[in-house]
Amino acid sequence: VAAADEPSLARLTFCIFGVATPAELIKDATRTPFNIGRGIRLADFARAEAEALLPDLEAVSPKARALLDVVLGWTSGHPYMTQRVCMAIAKEPPPDGAGVEEHVDALVDRLFLQRGRTEEPNLAYAEKRLLKAERGMQTQMLRIYRRLLHGDTVAPKGDDPAEIELRLAGLVADHVEAS
């Protein structure tokens, strides 16, 4: 009996947390329990959403707003990175008289740049996702990423497999330019 057609099972809801393409969830497109699911695209934190982190920053520093500004300058609101840097600040607040920007820069350097590939689970996951992609897909992903690193604007195509992989790895995000 298909769960979607059984009234007694209609009250059950399952939620899978993580990132995956439909092809990674569906082995047989004609018969799968995931054929009634839908993807949810999460956006980066807007400034107002990131301000939910201020109480914890205020508990460790009177410069909480300035700290959050510098964090958002680094992360552009990427939810994981923003929370990760704020958590590091809460554990290691800037010493009295220390520059906010220098302190956050040093934390980001230590967390993500020095040994991030080996010690930061999300960066290791992004690298694994890139390496497991087929050669042609890797090339497309790296071309898009190179353009972004050089400051080019890349109009999202929405269903481009290389773009989807980069988004799922957390390496890129769609940003709408204000007009």
PDB file of all heavy atoms in Angstrom, residues 120-159:
ATOM      1  N   GLU A 120      37.179  21.653   9.740  1.00  0.00           N
ATOM      2  CA  GLU A 120      35.837  22.232   9.687  1.00  0.00           C
ATOM      3  C   GLU A 120      34.932  21.307   8.871  1.00  0.00           C
ATOM      4  O   GLU A 120      35.110  21.162   7.664  1.00  0.00           O
ATOM      5  CB  GLU A 120      35.890  23.633   9.064  1.00  0.00           C
ATOM      6  CG  GLU A 120      34.563  24.284   8.821  1.00  0.00           C
ATOM      7  CD  GLU A 120      33.673  24.310  10.060  1.00  0.00           C
ATOM      8  OE1 GLU A 120      34.134  24.683  11.141  1.00  0.00           O
ATOM      9  OE2 GLU A 120      32.504  23.922   9.912  1.00  0.00           O
ATOM     10  N   PRO A 121      33.950  20.665   9.521  1.00  0.00           N
ATOM     11  CA  PRO A 121      33.123  19.674   8.830  1.00  0.00           C
ATOM     12  C   PRO A 121      32.423  20.200   7.575  1.00  0.00           C
ATOM     13  O   PRO A 121      32.352  19.488   6.576  1.00  0.00           O
ATOM     14  CB  PRO A 121      32.089  19.255   9.877  1.00  0.00           C
ATOM     15  CG  PRO A 121      32.657  19.662  11.189  1.00  0.00           C
ATOM     16  CD  PRO A 121      33.575  20.812  10.927  1.00  0.00           C
ATOM     17  N   ASN A 122      31.941  21.422   7.592  1.00  0.00           N
ATOM     18  CA  ASN A 122      31.236  21.933   6.413  1.00  0.00           C
ATOM     19  C   ASN A 122      32.172  22.152   5.234  1.00  0.00           C
ATOM     20  O   ASN A 122      31.797  21.911   4.084  1.00  0.00           O
ATOM     21  CB  ASN A 122      30.474  23.215   6.753  1.00  0.00           C
ATOM     22  CG  ASN A 122      29.101  22.910   7.293  1.00  0.00           C
ATOM     23  OD1 ASN A 122      28.869  21.893   7.922  1.00  0.00           O
ATOM     24  ND2 ASN A 122      28.168  23.797   7.030  1.00  0.00           N
ATOM     25  N   LEU A 123      33.386  22.605   5.496  1.00  0.00           N
ATOM     26  CA  LEU A 123      34.347  22.775   4.404  1.00  0.00           C
ATOM     27  C   LEU A 123      34.800  21.424   3.872  1.00  0.00           C
ATOM     28  O   LEU A 123      34.979  21.256   2.663  1.00  0.00           O
ATOM     29  CB  LEU A 123      35.535  23.615   4.859  1.00  0.00           C
ATOM     30  CG  LEU A 123      35.234  25.081   5.164  1.00  0.00           C
ATOM     31  CD1 LEU A 123      36.488  25.790   5.628  1.00  0.00           C
ATOM     32  CD2 LEU A 123      34.634  25.788   3.963  1.00  0.00           C
ATOM     33  N   ALA A 124      34.983  20.470   4.768  1.00  0.00           N
ATOM     34  CA  ALA A 124      35.354  19.121   4.331  1.00  0.00           C
ATOM     35  C   ALA A 124      34.234  18.524   3.473  1.00  0.00           C
ATOM     36  O   ALA A 124      34.492  17.860   2.462  1.00  0.00           O
ATOM     37  CB  ALA A 124      35.652  18.230   5.534  1.00  0.00           C
ATOM     38  N   TYR A 125      32.983  18.784   3.867  1.00  0.00           N
ATOM     39  CA  TYR A 125      31.840  18.296   3.095  1.00  0.00           C
ATOM     40  C   TYR A 125      31.810  18.941   1.709  1.00  0.00           C
ATOM     41  O   TYR A 125      31.582  18.266   0.704  1.00  0.00           O
ATOM     42  CB  TYR A 125      30.533  18.584   3.841  1.00  0.00           C
ATOM     43  CG  TYR A 125      29.312  18.245   3.031  1.00  0.00           C
ATOM     44  CD1 TYR A 125      28.909  16.927   2.880  1.00  0.00           C
ATOM     45  CD2 TYR A 125      28.579  19.242   2.394  1.00  0.00           C
ATOM     46  CE1 TYR A 125      27.807  16.607   2.113  1.00  0.00           C
ATOM     47  CE2 TYR A 125      27.478  18.928   1.630  1.00  0.00           C
ATOM     48  CZ  TYR A 125      27.085  17.614   1.500  1.00  0.00           C
ATOM     49  OH  TYR A 125      26.000  17.302   0.729  1.00  0.00           O
ATOM     50  N   ALA A 126      32.059  20.248   1.653  1.00  0.00           N
ATOM     51  CA  ALA A 126      32.061  20.939   0.358  1.00  0.00           C
ATOM     52  C   ALA A 126      33.124  20.358  -0.561  1.00  0.00           C
ATOM     53  O   ALA A 126      32.881  20.108  -1.744  1.00  0.00           O
ATOM     54  CB  ALA A 126      32.285  22.440   0.560  1.00  0.00           C
ATOM     55  N   GLU A 127      34.305  20.106  -0.006  1.00  0.00           N
ATOM     56  CA  GLU A 127      35.378  19.522  -0.807  1.00  0.00           C
ATOM     57  C   GLU A 127      35.004  18.115  -1.282  1.00  0.00           C
ATOM     58  O   GLU A 127      35.203  17.762  -2.444  1.00  0.00           O
ATOM     59  CB  GLU A 127      36.669  19.474   0.004  1.00  0.00           C
ATOM     60  CG  GLU A 127      37.824  18.884  -0.788  1.00  0.00           C
ATOM     61  CD  GLU A 127      39.117  18.851   0.005  1.00  0.00           C
ATOM     62  OE1 GLU A 127      39.076  18.628   1.218  1.00  0.00           O
ATOM     63  OE2 GLU A 127      40.175  19.038  -0.615  1.00  0.00           O
ATOM     64  N   LYS A 128      34.430  17.328  -0.391  1.00  0.00           N
ATOM     65  CA  LYS A 128      34.012  15.960  -0.751  1.00  0.00           C
ATOM     66  C   LYS A 128      32.974  15.991  -1.874  1.00  0.00           C
ATOM     67  O   LYS A 128      33.038  15.202  -2.817  1.00  0.00           O
ATOM     68  CB  LYS A 128      33.450  15.270   0.489  1.00  0.00           C
ATOM     69  CG  LYS A 128      33.021  13.848   0.277  1.00  0.00           C
ATOM     70  CD  LYS A 128      32.593  13.252   1.613  1.00  0.00           C
ATOM     71  CE  LYS A 128      31.259  12.588   1.452  1.00  0.00           C
ATOM     72  NZ  LYS A 128      30.715  12.051   2.668  1.00  0.00           N
ATOM     73  N   ARG A 129      32.047  16.916  -1.780  1.00  0.00           N
ATOM     74  CA  ARG A 129      30.998  17.033  -2.797  1.00  0.00           C
ATOM     75  C   ARG A 129      31.606  17.398  -4.156  1.00  0.00           C
ATOM     76  O   ARG A 129      31.202  16.880  -5.186  1.00  0.00           O
ATOM     77  CB  ARG A 129      29.977  18.066  -2.346  1.00  0.00           C
ATOM     78  CG  ARG A 129      28.668  17.848  -2.983  1.00  0.00           C
ATOM     79  CD  ARG A 129      27.526  18.454  -2.213  1.00  0.00           C
ATOM     80  NE  ARG A 129      26.373  18.220  -3.040  1.00  0.00           N
ATOM     81  CZ  ARG A 129      25.505  17.250  -2.841  1.00  0.00           C
ATOM     82  NH1 ARG A 129      25.599  16.472  -1.817  1.00  0.00           N
ATOM     83  NH2 ARG A 129      24.513  17.082  -3.675  1.00  0.00           N
ATOM     84  N   LEU A 130      32.574  18.287  -4.142  1.00  0.00           N
ATOM     85  CA  LEU A 130      33.240  18.673  -5.383  1.00  0.00           C
ATOM     86  C   LEU A 130      34.021  17.488  -5.955  1.00  0.00           C
ATOM     87  O   LEU A 130      33.933  17.197  -7.149  1.00  0.00           O
ATOM     88  CB  LEU A 130      34.192  19.848  -5.137  1.00  0.00           C
ATOM     89  CG  LEU A 130      35.061  20.261  -6.322  1.00  0.00           C
ATOM     90  CD1 LEU A 130      34.199  20.815  -7.451  1.00  0.00           C
ATOM     91  CD2 LEU A 130      36.098  21.271  -5.900  1.00  0.00           C
ATOM     92  N   LEU A 131      34.750  16.782  -5.113  1.00  0.00           N
ATOM     93  CA  LEU A 131      35.578  15.678  -5.593  1.00  0.00           C
ATOM     94  C   LEU A 131      34.763  14.493  -6.092  1.00  0.00           C
ATOM     95  O   LEU A 131      35.218  13.754  -6.965  1.00  0.00           O
ATOM     96  CB  LEU A 131      36.543  15.226  -4.492  1.00  0.00           C
ATOM     97  CG  LEU A 131      37.617  16.242  -4.115  1.00  0.00           C
ATOM     98  CD1 LEU A 131      38.438  15.739  -2.942  1.00  0.00           C
ATOM     99  CD2 LEU A 131      38.498  16.571  -5.309  1.00  0.00           C
ATOM    100  N   LYS A 132      33.557  14.291  -5.554  1.00  0.00           N
ATOM    101  CA  LYS A 132      32.764  13.140  -6.003  1.00  0.00           C
ATOM    102  C   LYS A 132      32.004  13.427  -7.299  1.00  0.00           C
ATOM    103  O   LYS A 132      31.505  12.509  -7.931  1.00  0.00           O
ATOM    104  CB  LYS A 132      31.812  12.678  -4.908  1.00  0.00           C
ATOM    105  CG  LYS A 132      30.533  13.450  -4.805  1.00  0.00           C
ATOM    106  CD  LYS A 132      29.566  12.783  -3.846  1.00  0.00           C
ATOM    107  CE  LYS A 132      28.219  13.432  -4.037  1.00  0.00           C
ATOM    108  NZ  LYS A 132      27.135  12.684  -3.563  1.00  0.00           N
ATOM    109  N   ALA A 133      31.951  14.682  -7.694  1.00  0.00           N
ATOM    110  CA  ALA A 133      31.279  15.032  -8.950  1.00  0.00           C
ATOM    111  C   ALA A 133      32.063  14.459 -10.134  1.00  0.00           C
ATOM    112  O   ALA A 133      33.288  14.299 -10.071  1.00  0.00           O
ATOM    113  CB  ALA A 133      31.159  16.541  -9.086  1.00  0.00           C
ATOM    114  N   GLU A 134      31.351  14.166 -11.200  1.00  0.00           N
ATOM    115  CA  GLU A 134      32.008  13.679 -12.415  1.00  0.00           C
ATOM    116  C   GLU A 134      32.921  14.768 -12.966  1.00  0.00           C
ATOM    117  O   GLU A 134      32.718  15.954 -12.734  1.00  0.00           O
ATOM    118  CB  GLU A 134      30.957  13.302 -13.460  1.00  0.00           C
ATOM    119  CG  GLU A 134      30.108  12.122 -13.061  1.00  0.00           C
ATOM    120  CD  GLU A 134      29.026  11.810 -14.084  1.00  0.00           C
ATOM    121  OE1 GLU A 134      29.065  12.369 -15.200  1.00  0.00           O
ATOM    122  OE2 GLU A 134      28.137  11.009 -13.757  1.00  0.00           O
ATOM    123  N   ARG A 135      33.915  14.364 -13.737  1.00  0.00           N
ATOM    124  CA  ARG A 135      34.942  15.287 -14.238  1.00  0.00           C
ATOM    125  C   ARG A 135      34.345  16.501 -14.958  1.00  0.00           C
ATOM    126  O   ARG A 135      34.735  17.624 -14.694  1.00  0.00           O
ATOM    127  CB  ARG A 135      35.883  14.519 -15.178  1.00  0.00           C
ATOM    128  CG  ARG A 135      37.086  15.279 -15.564  1.00  0.00           C
ATOM    129  CD  ARG A 135      38.073  15.205 -14.440  1.00  0.00           C
ATOM    130  NE  ARG A 135      39.345  15.706 -14.890  1.00  0.00           N
ATOM    131  CZ  ARG A 135      40.122  16.396 -14.102  1.00  0.00           C
ATOM    132  NH1 ARG A 135      39.781  16.647 -12.871  1.00  0.00           N
ATOM    133  NH2 ARG A 135      41.284  16.817 -14.533  1.00  0.00           N
ATOM    134  N   GLY A 136      33.400  16.277 -15.852  1.00  0.00           N
ATOM    135  CA  GLY A 136      32.783  17.389 -16.580  1.00  0.00           C
ATOM    136  C   GLY A 136      32.045  18.336 -15.647  1.00  0.00           C
ATOM    137  O   GLY A 136      32.087  19.560 -15.810  1.00  0.00           O
ATOM    138  N   MET A 137      31.373  17.768 -14.651  1.00  0.00           N
ATOM    139  CA  MET A 137      30.656  18.567 -13.672  1.00  0.00           C
ATOM    140  C   MET A 137      31.649  19.372 -12.827  1.00  0.00           C
ATOM    141  O   MET A 137      31.417  20.544 -12.543  1.00  0.00           O
ATOM    142  CB  MET A 137      29.811  17.668 -12.766  1.00  0.00           C
ATOM    143  CG  MET A 137      29.111  18.406 -11.667  1.00  0.00           C
ATOM    144  SD  MET A 137      27.760  19.430 -12.243  1.00  0.00           S
ATOM    145  CE  MET A 137      26.558  18.151 -12.540  1.00  0.00           C
ATOM    146  N   GLN A 138      32.752  18.754 -12.429  1.00  0.00           N
ATOM    147  CA  GLN A 138      33.787  19.459 -11.668  1.00  0.00           C
ATOM    148  C   GLN A 138      34.276  20.677 -12.440  1.00  0.00           C
ATOM    149  O   GLN A 138      34.431  21.763 -11.886  1.00  0.00           O
ATOM    150  CB  GLN A 138      34.981  18.552 -11.380  1.00  0.00           C
ATOM    151  CG  GLN A 138      34.792  17.579 -10.271  1.00  0.00           C
ATOM    152  CD  GLN A 138      36.048  16.722 -10.074  1.00  0.00           C
ATOM    153  OE1 GLN A 138      36.974  16.735 -10.877  1.00  0.00           O
ATOM    154  NE2 GLN A 138      36.045  15.979  -8.985  1.00  0.00           N
ATOM    155  N   THR A 139      34.527  20.481 -13.722  1.00  0.00           N
ATOM    156  CA  THR A 139      35.013  21.570 -14.561  1.00  0.00           C
ATOM    157  C   THR A 139      34.010  22.712 -14.596  1.00  0.00           C
ATOM    158  O   THR A 139      34.382  23.879 -14.438  1.00  0.00           O
ATOM    159  CB  THR A 139      35.302  21.057 -15.987  1.00  0.00           C
ATOM    160  OG1 THR A 139      36.268  20.000 -15.911  1.00  0.00           O
ATOM    161  CG2 THR A 139      35.831  22.164 -16.881  1.00  0.00           C
ATOM    162  N   GLN A 140      32.737  22.393 -14.791  1.00  0.00           N
ATOM    163  CA  GLN A 140      31.702  23.433 -14.807  1.00  0.00           C
ATOM    164  C   GLN A 140      31.627  24.159 -13.465  1.00  0.00           C
ATOM    165  O   GLN A 140      31.518  25.387 -13.418  1.00  0.00           O
ATOM    166  CB  GLN A 140      30.335  22.823 -15.128  1.00  0.00           C
ATOM    167  CG  GLN A 140      30.180  22.375 -16.559  1.00  0.00           C
ATOM    168  CD  GLN A 140      28.814  21.730 -16.746  1.00  0.00           C
ATOM    169  OE1 GLN A 140      28.554  20.648 -16.215  1.00  0.00           O
ATOM    170  NE2 GLN A 140      27.951  22.414 -17.468  1.00  0.00           N
ATOM    171  N   MET A 141      31.672  23.403 -12.379  1.00  0.00           N
ATOM    172  CA  MET A 141      31.597  24.003 -11.043  1.00  0.00           C
ATOM    173  C   MET A 141      32.771  24.946 -10.811  1.00  0.00           C
ATOM    174  O   MET A 141      32.593  26.066 -10.306  1.00  0.00           O
ATOM    175  CB  MET A 141      31.573  22.903  -9.976  1.00  0.00           C
ATOM    176  CG  MET A 141      30.302  22.072  -9.985  1.00  0.00           C
ATOM    177  SD  MET A 141      30.429  20.543  -9.021  1.00  0.00           S
ATOM    178  CE  MET A 141      30.541  21.174  -7.357  1.00  0.00           C
ATOM    179  N   LEU A 142      33.964  24.508 -11.185  1.00  0.00           N
ATOM    180  CA  LEU A 142      35.152  25.337 -10.972  1.00  0.00           C
ATOM    181  C   LEU A 142      35.136  26.585 -11.854  1.00  0.00           C
ATOM    182  O   LEU A 142      35.590  27.649 -11.425  1.00  0.00           O
ATOM    183  CB  LEU A 142      36.422  24.515 -11.191  1.00  0.00           C
ATOM    184  CG  LEU A 142      36.669  23.440 -10.124  1.00  0.00           C
ATOM    185  CD1 LEU A 142      37.821  22.526 -10.547  1.00  0.00           C
ATOM    186  CD2 LEU A 142      36.926  24.054  -8.764  1.00  0.00           C
ATOM    187  N   ARG A 143      34.595  26.468 -13.061  1.00  0.00           N
ATOM    188  CA  ARG A 143      34.481  27.658 -13.931  1.00  0.00           C
ATOM    189  C   ARG A 143      33.554  28.704 -13.310  1.00  0.00           C
ATOM    190  O   ARG A 143      33.858  29.893 -13.295  1.00  0.00           O
ATOM    191  CB  ARG A 143      33.971  27.262 -15.317  1.00  0.00           C
ATOM    192  CG  ARG A 143      35.026  26.657 -16.182  1.00  0.00           C
ATOM    193  CD  ARG A 143      34.527  26.434 -17.597  1.00  0.00           C
ATOM    194  NE  ARG A 143      35.585  25.842 -18.376  1.00  0.00           N
ATOM    195  CZ  ARG A 143      35.424  24.844 -19.221  1.00  0.00           C
ATOM    196  NH1 ARG A 143      34.223  24.337 -19.437  1.00  0.00           N
ATOM    197  NH2 ARG A 143      36.441  24.356 -19.891  1.00  0.00           N
ATOM    198  N   ILE A 144      32.408  28.251 -12.808  1.00  0.00           N
ATOM    199  CA  ILE A 144      31.468  29.175 -12.167  1.00  0.00           C
ATOM    200  C   ILE A 144      32.123  29.795 -10.937  1.00  0.00           C
ATOM    201  O   ILE A 144      32.076  31.018 -10.738  1.00  0.00           O
ATOM    202  CB  ILE A 144      30.158  28.445 -11.769  1.00  0.00           C
ATOM    203  CG1 ILE A 144      29.400  28.009 -13.022  1.00  0.00           C
ATOM    204  CG2 ILE A 144      29.283  29.341 -10.886  1.00  0.00           C
ATOM    205  CD1 ILE A 144      28.253  27.032 -12.737  1.00  0.00           C
ATOM    206  N   TYR A 145      32.748  28.976 -10.124  1.00  0.00           N
ATOM    207  CA  TYR A 145      33.364  29.459  -8.887  1.00  0.00           C
ATOM    208  C   TYR A 145      34.489  30.453  -9.193  1.00  0.00           C
ATOM    209  O   TYR A 145      34.627  31.478  -8.522  1.00  0.00           O
ATOM    210  CB  TYR A 145      33.875  28.273  -8.070  1.00  0.00           C
ATOM    211  CG  TYR A 145      34.125  28.624  -6.625  1.00  0.00           C
ATOM    212  CD1 TYR A 145      33.059  28.870  -5.765  1.00  0.00           C
ATOM    213  CD2 TYR A 145      35.408  28.719  -6.120  1.00  0.00           C
ATOM    214  CE1 TYR A 145      33.279  29.204  -4.446  1.00  0.00           C
ATOM    215  CE2 TYR A 145      35.636  29.049  -4.799  1.00  0.00           C
ATOM    216  CZ  TYR A 145      34.561  29.283  -3.966  1.00  0.00           C
ATOM    217  OH  TYR A 145      34.773  29.619  -2.660  1.00  0.00           O
ATOM    218  N   ARG A 146      35.292  30.168 -10.208  1.00  0.00           N
ATOM    219  CA  ARG A 146      36.377  31.085 -10.596  1.00  0.00           C
ATOM    220  C   ARG A 146      35.811  32.438 -11.000  1.00  0.00           C
ATOM    221  O   ARG A 146      36.328  33.480 -10.603  1.00  0.00           O
ATOM    222  CB  ARG A 146      37.217  30.490 -11.717  1.00  0.00           C
ATOM    223  CG  ARG A 146      38.359  31.432 -12.125  1.00  0.00           C
ATOM    224  CD  ARG A 146      39.226  30.874 -13.231  1.00  0.00           C
ATOM    225  NE  ARG A 146      38.404  30.579 -14.378  1.00  0.00           N
ATOM    226  CZ  ARG A 146      38.652  29.596 -15.249  1.00  0.00           C
ATOM    227  NH1 ARG A 146      39.687  28.809 -15.087  1.00  0.00           N
ATOM    228  NH2 ARG A 146      37.864  29.393 -16.268  1.00  0.00           N
ATOM    229  N   ARG A 147      34.735  32.430 -11.786  1.00  0.00           N
ATOM    230  CA  ARG A 147      34.111  33.702 -12.198  1.00  0.00           C
ATOM    231  C   ARG A 147      33.667  34.506 -10.978  1.00  0.00           C
ATOM    232  O   ARG A 147      33.878  35.710 -10.904  1.00  0.00           O
ATOM    233  CB  ARG A 147      32.926  33.445 -13.116  1.00  0.00           C
ATOM    234  CG  ARG A 147      33.336  32.977 -14.510  1.00  0.00           C
ATOM    235  CD  ARG A 147      32.158  32.804 -15.431  1.00  0.00           C
ATOM    236  NE  ARG A 147      31.404  34.044 -15.562  1.00  0.00           N
ATOM    237  CZ  ARG A 147      30.130  34.096 -15.950  1.00  0.00           C
ATOM    238  NH1 ARG A 147      29.473  33.001 -16.239  1.00  0.00           N
ATOM    239  NH2 ARG A 147      29.525  35.248 -16.043  1.00  0.00           N
ATOM    240  N   LEU A 148      33.060  33.822 -10.015  1.00  0.00           N
ATOM    241  CA  LEU A 148      32.598  34.510  -8.809  1.00  0.00           C
ATOM    242  C   LEU A 148      33.774  35.052  -7.997  1.00  0.00           C
ATOM    243  O   LEU A 148      33.714  36.172  -7.485  1.00  0.00           O
ATOM    244  CB  LEU A 148      31.747  33.567  -7.952  1.00  0.00           C
ATOM    245  CG  LEU A 148      30.405  33.177  -8.568  1.00  0.00           C
ATOM    246  CD1 LEU A 148      29.763  32.043  -7.787  1.00  0.00           C
ATOM    247  CD2 LEU A 148      29.477  34.376  -8.640  1.00  0.00           C
ATOM    248  N   LEU A 149      34.849  34.273  -7.895  1.00  0.00           N
ATOM    249  CA  LEU A 149      36.033  34.739  -7.161  1.00  0.00           C
ATOM    250  C   LEU A 149      36.648  35.973  -7.799  1.00  0.00           C
ATOM    251  O   LEU A 149      37.227  36.808  -7.113  1.00  0.00           O
ATOM    252  CB  LEU A 149      37.081  33.632  -7.069  1.00  0.00           C
ATOM    253  CG  LEU A 149      36.810  32.526  -6.062  1.00  0.00           C
ATOM    254  CD1 LEU A 149      37.876  31.444  -6.165  1.00  0.00           C
ATOM    255  CD2 LEU A 149      36.748  33.074  -4.649  1.00  0.00           C
ATOM    256  N   HIS A 150      36.522  36.090  -9.112  1.00  0.00           N
ATOM    257  CA  HIS A 150      37.056  37.253  -9.822  1.00  0.00           C
ATOM    258  C   HIS A 150      36.073  38.427  -9.833  1.00  0.00           C
ATOM    259  O   HIS A 150      36.313  39.428 -10.502  1.00  0.00           O
ATOM    260  CB  HIS A 150      37.464  36.868 -11.250  1.00  0.00           C
ATOM    261  CG  HIS A 150      38.731  36.082 -11.293  1.00  0.00           C
ATOM    262  ND1 HIS A 150      38.742  34.708 -11.448  1.00  0.00           N
ATOM    263  CD2 HIS A 150      40.020  36.463 -11.154  1.00  0.00           C
ATOM    264  CE1 HIS A 150      39.990  34.287 -11.427  1.00  0.00           C
ATOM    265  NE2 HIS A 150      40.784  35.312 -11.244  1.00  0.00           N
ATOM    266  N   GLY A 151      34.966  38.285  -9.119  1.00  0.00           N
ATOM    267  CA  GLY A 151      34.023  39.394  -8.992  1.00  0.00           C
ATOM    268  C   GLY A 151      32.975  39.472 -10.076  1.00  0.00           C
ATOM    269  O   GLY A 151      32.218  40.445 -10.127  1.00  0.00           O
ATOM    270  N   ASP A 152      32.914  38.494 -10.963  1.00  0.00           N
ATOM    271  CA  ASP A 152      31.893  38.498 -12.012  1.00  0.00           C
ATOM    272  C   ASP A 152      30.523  38.201 -11.413  1.00  0.00           C
ATOM    273  O   ASP A 152      30.409  37.508 -10.407  1.00  0.00           O
ATOM    274  CB  ASP A 152      32.189  37.434 -13.074  1.00  0.00           C
ATOM    275  CG  ASP A 152      33.433  37.736 -13.882  1.00  0.00           C
ATOM    276  OD1 ASP A 152      33.944  38.862 -13.805  1.00  0.00           O
ATOM    277  OD2 ASP A 152      33.910  36.815 -14.582  1.00  0.00           O
ATOM    278  N   THR A 153      29.503  38.707 -12.047  1.00  0.00           N
ATOM    279  CA  THR A 153      28.139  38.358 -11.688  1.00  0.00           C
ATOM    280  C   THR A 153      27.724  37.184 -12.557  1.00  0.00           C
ATOM    281  O   THR A 153      27.901  37.215 -13.778  1.00  0.00           O
ATOM    282  CB  THR A 153      27.182  39.548 -11.932  1.00  0.00           C
ATOM    283  OG1 THR A 153      27.615  40.637 -11.109  1.00  0.00           O
ATOM    284  CG2 THR A 153      25.752  39.195 -11.602  1.00  0.00           C
ATOM    285  N   VAL A 154      27.214  36.157 -11.939  1.00  0.00           N
ATOM    286  CA  VAL A 154      26.761  34.974 -12.664  1.00  0.00           C
ATOM    287  C   VAL A 154      25.254  34.870 -12.453  1.00  0.00           C
ATOM    288  O   VAL A 154      24.805  34.664 -11.326  1.00  0.00           O
ATOM    289  CB  VAL A 154      27.465  33.694 -12.164  1.00  0.00           C
ATOM    290  CG1 VAL A 154      26.936  32.470 -12.887  1.00  0.00           C
ATOM    291  CG2 VAL A 154      28.977  33.813 -12.337  1.00  0.00           C
ATOM    292  N   ALA A 155      24.509  35.055 -13.526  1.00  0.00           N
ATOM    293  CA  ALA A 155      23.052  34.957 -13.425  1.00  0.00           C
ATOM    294  C   ALA A 155      22.670  33.501 -13.204  1.00  0.00           C
ATOM    295  O   ALA A 155      23.035  32.628 -13.999  1.00  0.00           O
ATOM    296  CB  ALA A 155      22.393  35.484 -14.696  1.00  0.00           C
ATOM    297  N   PRO A 156      21.963  33.210 -12.109  1.00  0.00           N
ATOM    298  CA  PRO A 156      21.594  31.812 -11.850  1.00  0.00           C
ATOM    299  C   PRO A 156      20.619  31.288 -12.886  1.00  0.00           C
ATOM    300  O   PRO A 156      19.710  31.993 -13.305  1.00  0.00           O
ATOM    301  CB  PRO A 156      20.956  31.849 -10.457  1.00  0.00           C
ATOM    302  CG  PRO A 156      20.690  33.271 -10.153  1.00  0.00           C
ATOM    303  CD  PRO A 156      21.495  34.112 -11.085  1.00  0.00           C
ATOM    304  N   LYS A 157      20.842  30.050 -13.304  1.00  0.00           N
ATOM    305  CA  LYS A 157      19.959  29.414 -14.281  1.00  0.00           C
ATOM    306  C   LYS A 157      18.864  28.614 -13.597  1.00  0.00           C
ATOM    307  O   LYS A 157      17.949  28.153 -14.236  1.00  0.00           O
ATOM    308  CB  LYS A 157      20.778  28.526 -15.211  1.00  0.00           C
ATOM    309  CG  LYS A 157      21.772  29.293 -16.046  1.00  0.00           C
ATOM    310  CD  LYS A 157      22.536  28.347 -16.961  1.00  0.00           C
ATOM    311  CE  LYS A 157      23.573  29.074 -17.754  1.00  0.00           C
ATOM    312  NZ  LYS A 157      24.875  29.133 -17.107  1.00  0.00           N
ATOM    313  N   GLY A 158      19.012  28.392 -12.286  1.00  0.00           N
ATOM    314  CA  GLY A 158      17.971  27.701 -11.526  1.00  0.00           C
ATOM    315  C   GLY A 158      18.098  26.197 -11.516  1.00  0.00           C
ATOM    316  O   GLY A 158      18.182  25.583 -10.476  1.00  0.00           O
ATOM    317  N   ASP A 159      18.111  25.590 -12.701  1.00  0.00           N
ATOM    318  CA  ASP A 159      18.158  24.127 -12.752  1.00  0.00           C
ATOM    319  C   ASP A 159      19.480  23.599 -13.297  1.00  0.00           C
ATOM    320  O   ASP A 159      19.596  22.425 -13.611  1.00  0.00           O
ATOM    321  CB  ASP A 159      16.981  23.594 -13.571  1.00  0.00           C
ATOM    322  CG  ASP A 159      17.017  24.072 -15.026  1.00  0.00           C
ATOM    323  OD1 ASP A 159      17.822  24.968 -15.350  1.00  0.00           O
ATOM    324  OD2 ASP A 159      16.218  23.564 -15.830  1.00  0.00           O
TER     325      ASP A 159
END
